[in-house]
């Protein structure tokens, strides 16, 4: 009975975390409460990168006490793999079983230490590619979100034919080939590894799993085998999706055990239990080997720090054009280091101007969102992207802070403007400028031409997106590598005119 309660509770908690997180990414109409986004702040990598020390320390201490329950309940990537494992059973006439495999500690700890060292010298490529939360975010944003939007648009089209406007058409502007292809690769990786080897990703490639494994190895509460009751029947081993139960030697690799509790109720002798175990008991040879390989890995990678630094310094940009980073990013360097490209801000942006980068801005900026003003602009008082970022790669901004943050600066090429090239009146850029950084001044006769005041420009892109000149627009926004503060613009006062009669 106790074993069933543990497993049922674990499944329930996993469901209560997984479903709201996925729905939060897919919710395009704002129906889900904003507080749901707080679930993302207890993901380990976002908690560490955002400087949430209390949350980070709590998760590590919780793992030290109870084992890697985080991986089986709080981690959405782990839950997705469990879903795939369950599906794999339905694809086979005979239920799938697992076998014990030795841990690949060299790979595990090498990736973990490389991720830490790269982060310390200002790069987070490994975290971006392997962070479980960010991968789930990209799958939701680039694969599931388009499906939801497609269904909505089809339904909206049929409803509009009946004069029912309860649904509205939504465009998909944020998908790029780089983000789409990588999301497909990650989803297939999860599926294939889960289908054949259970939680292999978590115990080989995932830096979160490797870090928590160091703590769960010495956890107070853990899955244990009773050597007196165990007859090496392998029932628990075949049920273990972490492939960490060695029935032959009657031992469990607790650094890989995710406490899914699947093994508890299959033992006919009652030889498997989850209980308090003295964490500093004599370490077996397997643990000694793991510790030795961990130390060797640290030594080898530490010796490669100068090489890593030289490689990153030599990295060249593919383009001289810098990306326009979203409001709250502070500067490009901070954004590159702390953004792991979960793409939550991309799907939440109401203007749909955020696009994941390819390699055009260098590998450090790969998959990270930048602002693209081709079809729209950054709404003047909108702060949504800075509010939802769990990593604090985008620092939360108030409306007052947003309208005085200059993320880019306006540039005007008079020789391309239609006022000069075609001697036609325009003024669209001035009409869309919220700060009067673009004004129309006398040019020839009755014609007026734009004049820019860069000091009060916030880089919103209103002028660029509306400019009719193609293919190169006459007025554009260039990125500020370091976001600047500007004074709040003073608007011209509207003259009050007393109307005493009709004007004609």
């Amino acid at each position: 009975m106790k074993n069933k309660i543990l497993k049922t509770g674990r499944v329930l908690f996993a469901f209560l975390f997984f479903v709201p997180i996925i729905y939060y990414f897919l919710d395009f109409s704002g129906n889900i409460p904003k507080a749901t986004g707080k679930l993302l702040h207890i993901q380990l990598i976002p908690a560490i990168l955002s400087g949430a020390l209390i949350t980070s320390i709590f998760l590590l201490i919780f793992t030290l006490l109870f084992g890697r329950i985080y991986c089986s309940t709080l981690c959405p990537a782990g839950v997705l793999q469990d879903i795939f494992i369950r599906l794999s059973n339905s694809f086979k006439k005979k239920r799938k079983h697992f076998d014990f495999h030795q841990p690949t500690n060299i790979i595990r700890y090498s990736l973990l230490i490389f991720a830490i060292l790269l982060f310390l010298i200002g790069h987070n490529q490994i975290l971006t590619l392997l962070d479980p939360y960010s991968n789930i975010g990209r799958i939701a944003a680039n694969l599931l979100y388009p499906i939801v939007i497609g269904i909505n648009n089809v339904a909206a089209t049929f409803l509009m034919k009946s004069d029912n406007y309860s649904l509205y058409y939504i465009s998909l502007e944020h998908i790029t080939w780089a983000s789409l292809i990588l999301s497909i690769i990650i989803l297939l990786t999860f599926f294939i590894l889960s289908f054949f080897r259970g939680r292999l990703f978590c115990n080989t490639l995932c830096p979160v799993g490797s870090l928590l494994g160091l703590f769960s190895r010495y956890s107070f509460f853990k899955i244990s085998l009773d050597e007196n009751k165990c007859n090496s029947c392998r029932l628990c081993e075949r049920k273990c999706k972490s492939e960490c139960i060695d029935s032959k030697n009657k031992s469990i690799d607790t650094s890989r055990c995710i406490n899914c509790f699947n093994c508890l109720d299959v033992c006919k002798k009652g030889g498997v239990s989850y209980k308090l175990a003295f964490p500093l008991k004599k370490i077996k040879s397997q643990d000694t080997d793991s510790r030795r390989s961990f130390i060797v890995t640290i030594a080898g990678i530490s010796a490669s720090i100068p090489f890593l630094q030289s490689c990153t310094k030599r990295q060249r940009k593919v383009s001289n054009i810098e990306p326009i980073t979203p409001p709250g990013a502070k500067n490009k360097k901070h954004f590159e280091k702390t953004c792991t490209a979960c793409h939550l801000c991309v799907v939440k942006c109401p203007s749909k101007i955020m696009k994941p980068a390819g390699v055009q801005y260098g590998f450090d900026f790969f998959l990270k969102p930048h602002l693209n003003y081709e079809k729209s602009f950054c709404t003047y008082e909108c702060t949504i992207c800075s509010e939802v970022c769990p990593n604090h790669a985008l620092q939360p901004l108030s409306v007052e802070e947003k309208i005085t943050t200059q993320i880019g600066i306006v540039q005007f090429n008079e020789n391309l403007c239609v006022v000069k090239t075609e001697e036609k009146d325009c003024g669209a850029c001035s009409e869309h400028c919220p700060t009067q950084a673009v004004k129309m001044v006398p040019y020839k006769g009755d014609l007026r031409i734009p004049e820019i005041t860069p000091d009060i420009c916030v880089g919103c892109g209103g002028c660029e997106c509306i400019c009719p000149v193609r293919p190169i627009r006459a007025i554009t926004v260039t990125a500020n590598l370091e976001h600047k503060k500007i004074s709040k613009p003073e608007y011209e006062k509207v003259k009050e005119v007393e109307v005493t009669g009709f004007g004609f």
Side-chain angles (χ1 to χ4, degrees):
M1 181 64 180
K2 176 184 175 182
N3 294 338
K4 288 185 178 180
I5 292 176
L6 285 173
K7 182 177 177 180
T8 302
R10 191 268 302 173
V11 173
L12 179 62
F13 272 104
F15 178 83
L16 291 177
F17 277 93
F18 181 76
V19 173
I21 287 175
I22 297 299
Y23 184 45
Y24 190 67
F25 273 88
L26 304 183
D27 178 36
F28 59 87
S29 57
N31 291 326
I32 193 169
K34 288 185 178 180
T36 307
K38 297 297 181 183
L39 294 177
L40 307 181
H41 293 259
I42 60 175
Q43 298 298 307
L44 185 59
I45 295 298
I48 293 174
L49 295 182
S50 65
L53 291 179
I54 294 178
T55 302
S56 304
I57 293 173
F58 171 79
L59 291 174
L60 295 178
I61 293 177
F62 186 81
T63 303
L64 184 61
L65 291 175
F66 302 105
R68 284 174 56 183
I69 295 178
Y70 172 95
C71 298
S72 58
T73 55
L74 303 184
C75 178
V79 177
L80 179 63
Q81 291 172 79
D82 286 345
I83 294 173
F84 287 154
I85 292 170
R86 179 61 63 91
L87 289 175
S88 70
N89 287 328
S90 63
F91 290 149
K92 292 179 173 287
K93 295 180 180 179
K94 212 172 183 181
R95 286 185 66 83
K96 180 177 178 56
H97 69 267
F98 301 98
D99 299 304
F100 173 77
H101 286 84
Q102 292 292 341
T104 53
N105 288 327
I106 293 295
I107 297 176
R108 293 171 70 189
Y109 298 132
S110 294
L111 287 173
L112 173 62
I113 299 169
F114 263 124
I116 294 173
L117 292 179
L118 282 174
F119 178 77
L120 291 177
I121 62 176
H123 306 272
N124 73 349
Q125 294 95 326
I126 291 182
L127 287 180
T128 297
L129 295 175
L130 297 180
D131 172 36
Y133 156 71
S134 299
N135 277 313
I136 282 294
R138 288 192 288 269
I139 290 172
N142 299 296
L143 298 179
L144 300 182
Y145 188 84
I147 294 174
V148 172
I149 296 303
I151 294 172
N152 171 82
N153 291 346
V154 170
T157 300
F158 282 103
L159 289 175
M160 287 178 184
K161 291 180 179 180
S162 304
D163 292 330
N164 185 330
Y165 300 95
S166 56
L167 295 178
Y168 51 90
Y169 185 86
I170 298 175
S171 61
L172 278 173
E173 303 291 345
H174 70 275
I175 306 294
T176 62
W177 282 110
S179 62
L180 180 63
I181 292 173
L182 188 70
S183 298
I184 293 173
I185 291 174
I186 290 297
L187 183 63
L188 289 177
T189 300
F190 281 157
F191 181 78
I192 293 171
L193 292 184
S194 301
F195 192 94
F196 293 103
R197 293 288 302 275
R199 287 295 197 100
L200 184 62
F201 177 89
C202 303
N203 288 322
T204 304
L205 302 176
C206 178
V208 174
S210 299
L211 177 61
L212 295 181
L214 295 175
F215 288 82
S216 66
R217 182 185 298 277
Y218 305 106
S219 61
F220 285 77
F221 285 87
K222 60 182 67 175
I223 304 290
S224 303
L225 292 180
D226 188 329
E227 295 184 4
N228 296 322
K229 295 181 180 179
C230 178
N231 60 1
S232 300
C233 67
R234 298 189 65 211
L235 286 176
C236 57
E237 178 182 332
R238 291 170 176 265
K239 200 72 172 176
C240 178
K241 53 195 170 190
S242 295
E243 300 180 329
C244 66
I245 299 180
D246 184 359
S247 298
K248 181 179 179 180
N249 296 310
K250 299 182 181 180
S251 64
I252 298 177
D253 181 359
T254 53
S255 72
R256 291 187 290 159
C257 176
I258 60 168
N259 290 348
C260 64
F261 305 130
N262 287 351
C263 60
L264 294 182
D265 56 358
V266 296
C267 182
K268 307 300 182 182
K269 303 291 185 179
V272 186
S273 60
Y274 178 68
K275 63 181 181 179
L276 178 64
F278 189 57
L280 298 179
K281 66 181 181 179
K282 186 177 179 181
I283 301 174
K284 295 187 177 182
S285 59
Q286 179 182 317
D287 295 326
T288 304
D289 293 339
S290 298
R291 186 172 62 178
R292 187 182 297 114
S293 63
F294 178 62
I295 294 173
V296 170
T297 304
I298 290 179
I301 296 181
S302 297
S304 68
I305 292 179
F307 174 74
L308 289 174
Q309 290 176 325
S310 65
C311 287
T312 52
K313 285 179 181 178
R314 291 175 190 169
Q315 184 186 26
R316 295 181 179 178
K317 295 182 180 65
V318 179
S319 171
N320 291 325
I321 301 174
E322 296 288 353
I324 302 176
T325 50
K330 294 172 60 176
N331 54 65
K332 183 182 176 223
K333 186 175 181 181
H334 169 267
F335 188 64
E336 284 179 338
K337 184 177 180 180
T338 53
C339 173
T340 53
C342 71
H343 294 173
L344 178 61
C345 59
V346 174
V347 296
K348 291 297 183 182
C349 177
S351 301
K352 306 301 179 188
I353 59 171
M354 288 195 181
K355 286 194 174 184
V359 295
Q360 69 268 37
Y361 302 120
F363 191 53
D364 274 351
F365 211 86
F366 182 56
L367 294 178
K368 292 173 173 54
H370 65 101
L371 304 190
N372 183 291
Y373 298 138
E374 184 178 353
K375 295 184 179 179
S376 190
F377 58 94
C378 182
T379 306
Y380 186 48
E381 297 184 345
C382 177
T383 60
I384 290 177
C385 60
S386 70
E387 293 171 359
V388 300
C389 179
N391 291 21
H392 284 184
L394 303 179
Q395 298 289 326
L397 295 177
S398 65
V399 173
E400 189 72 18
E401 291 171 326
K402 165 68 187 300
I403 64 178
T404 56
T405 298
Q406 186 187 71
I407 61 176
I409 196 163
V410 62
Q411 305 286 336
F412 176 55
N413 189 338
E414 183 179 317
N415 294 323
L416 294 177
C417 183
V418 294
V419 178
K420 181 175 182 178
T421 58
E422 300 180 22
E423 295 192 350
K424 290 182 179 180
D425 196 14
C426 182
C429 54
S430 175
E431 293 174 3
H432 282 73
C433 180
T435 66
Q436 300 178 350
V438 182
K439 278 185 170 183
M440 303 302 291
V441 296
Y443 177 61
K444 285 183 181 180
D446 294 333
L447 290 176
R448 296 167 69 83
I449 199 167
E451 180 183 75
I452 63 172
T453 308
D455 291 344
I456 60 173
C457 173
V458 293
C460 68
C463 56
E464 180 177 336
C465 80
I466 202 65
C467 179
V469 181
R470 298 292 186 275
I472 302 175
R473 307 191 187 198
I475 193 163
T476 57
V477 175
T478 58
N480 278 349
L481 295 183
E482 184 85 30
H483 290 187
K484 299 177 181 178
K485 284 293 179 183
I486 63 170
S487 300
K488 189 175 180 180
E490 296 181 3
Y491 299 102
E492 296 179 356
K493 293 183 179 180
V494 179
K495 294 181 180 180
E496 296 183 3
V497 178
E498 184 180 352
V499 179
T500 57
F502 292 105
F504 53 87

